[in-house]
């Protein structure tokens, strides 16, 4: 698959098989994230790669508990609202049971923190598609970066005191009929372009 095809066919794949992804493939995808552009070439995005299933299960429980303790207001962002409501039911698994979760973090107070991490995540999702792996951006840990329990758990996993969680993504073999990542054509109904010719 060439670069443009990998970009144009990338879609979020949330149904992933439990089978582990060979470490070499995960490493290749991480390399794609680490070469992404970043402000001033600062290279401060920190990638925390969780392949341990017990830790992934424990983290899902901690996240579910954290959201269950939150209230929903009229202006609560719709995806956050969904996470809170599902967590109050007690069955919320923010990473969809994927075998790999990559969490991105960056320096607190660094102005390009979110942009740098988003570039890295997009590179990794495109690389995953090129390698026939499914992926999806996962933002719950970013929303919970100030939650003491979540933060404590992430610090045990390598997050440093001067970092905050910027985002994340899941990775795995697609649980689809043809075993390939979702690649449905996407209708562009937004993202307006203003041309000044
Ligand atoms: C900043 C950002 C945050 C996102 N957070 C989540 C998330 O937490 N969980 C999820 O399932 N999808 C998440 N997504 C995926 C979007 O829902 C998805 O990209 C969008 O619906 C378009 O679908 P596509 O990726 O298949 O093109 C996120 C995407 C972005 C860019």
């Amino acid at each position: 698959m060439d670069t443009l095809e990998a970009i144009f066919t990338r879609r979020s794949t949330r149904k992933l098989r439990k089978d582990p992804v060979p470490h070499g493939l995960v490493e290749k995808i991480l390399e794609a994230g680490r070469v992404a552009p970043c402000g001033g070439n600062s290279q401060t995005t920190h990638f925390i790669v969780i392949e341990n299933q017990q830790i992934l299960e424990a983290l899902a429980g901690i996240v579910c508990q954290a959201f269950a303790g939150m209230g929903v207001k009229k202006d609560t962002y719709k995806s956050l609202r969904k996470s809170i409501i599902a967590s109050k039911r007690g069955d919320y698994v923010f990473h969809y049971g994927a075998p790999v979760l990559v969490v991105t973090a960056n320096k607190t107070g660094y102005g390009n923190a979110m942009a740098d991490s988003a570039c890295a995540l997009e590179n990794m999702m495109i690389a995953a598609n090129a390698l026939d792996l499914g992926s999806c951006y996962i933002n719950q840990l970013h929303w919970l970066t100030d939650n003491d329990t979540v933060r404590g758990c992430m610090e045990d996993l390598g997050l440093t005191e001067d970092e905050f969680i910027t985002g994340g993504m899941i990775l795995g073999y697609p649980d689809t009929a043809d075993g390939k990542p979702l690649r449905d054509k996407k209708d562009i109904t937004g993202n307006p372009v203003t041309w000044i010719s």
Side-chain angles (χ1 to χ4, degrees):
M1 178 181 291
D2 73 18
T3 313
L4 285 180
E5 192 184 351
I7 291 170
F8 283 118
T9 62
R10 181 223 54 83
R11 300 300 309 271
S12 297
T13 305
R14 298 177 175 87
K15 279 187 80 178
L16 301 170
R17 294 191 346 232
K18 289 262 177 218
D19 313 51
V21 180
H23 197 70
L25 272 187
V26 181
E27 273 180 340
K28 185 52 91 191
I29 287 165
L30 261 292
E31 272 176 47
R34 295 179 73 201
V35 298
C38 56
N41 199 19
S42 56
Q43 301 187 19
T44 50
T45 300
H46 180 187
F47 302 81
I48 300 170
V49 188
I50 310 174
E51 300 170 306
N52 180 303
Q53 298 314 294
Q54 278 173 333
I55 291 176
L56 283 171
E57 271 177 38
L59 197 52
I62 288 168
V63 165
C64 187
Q65 264 196 325
F67 280 131
M70 288 169 70
V72 175
K73 294 192 202 124
K74 227 170 55 189
D75 61 347
T76 303
Y77 173 57
K78 67 173 182 181
S79 300
L80 175 57
R81 175 188 297 263
K82 271 197 204 163
S83 299
I84 295 172
I85 291 169
S87 296
K88 286 188 191 294
R89 283 199 308 265
D91 60 356
Y92 184 57
V93 181
F94 76 102
H95 53 53
Y96 303 103
V100 183
L101 172 69
V102 181
V103 182
T104 55
N106 216 320
K107 301 291 180 196
T108 305
Y110 166 49
N112 291 319
M114 292 300 296
D116 287 2
S117 296
C119 285
L121 286 163
E122 176 66 343
N123 258 19
M124 291 192 287
M125 290 188 286
I126 293 165
N129 186 31
L131 293 167
D132 282 343
L133 289 168
S135 71
C136 181
Y137 202 114
I138 293 291
N139 221 13
Q140 284 67 29
L141 292 172
H142 168 60
W143 296 333
L144 294 170
T145 189
D146 292 327
N147 177 285
D148 288 342
T149 314
V150 170
R151 200 175 164 94
C153 173
M154 288 310 299
E155 284 188 4
D156 288 344
L157 299 176
L159 183 75
T160 60
E161 267 184 29
D162 61 347
E163 292 173 339
F164 74 108
I165 300 163
T166 50
M169 62 176 269
I170 49 169
L171 200 57
Y173 286 107
D175 190 4
T176 53
D178 63 358
K180 302 278 191 206
L182 294 184
R183 287 177 176 144
D184 304 345
K185 192 176 174 337
K186 184 166 173 172
D187 286 333
I188 307 299
T189 53
N191 293 343
V193 180
T194 303
W195 294 96
I196 315 292
S197 301

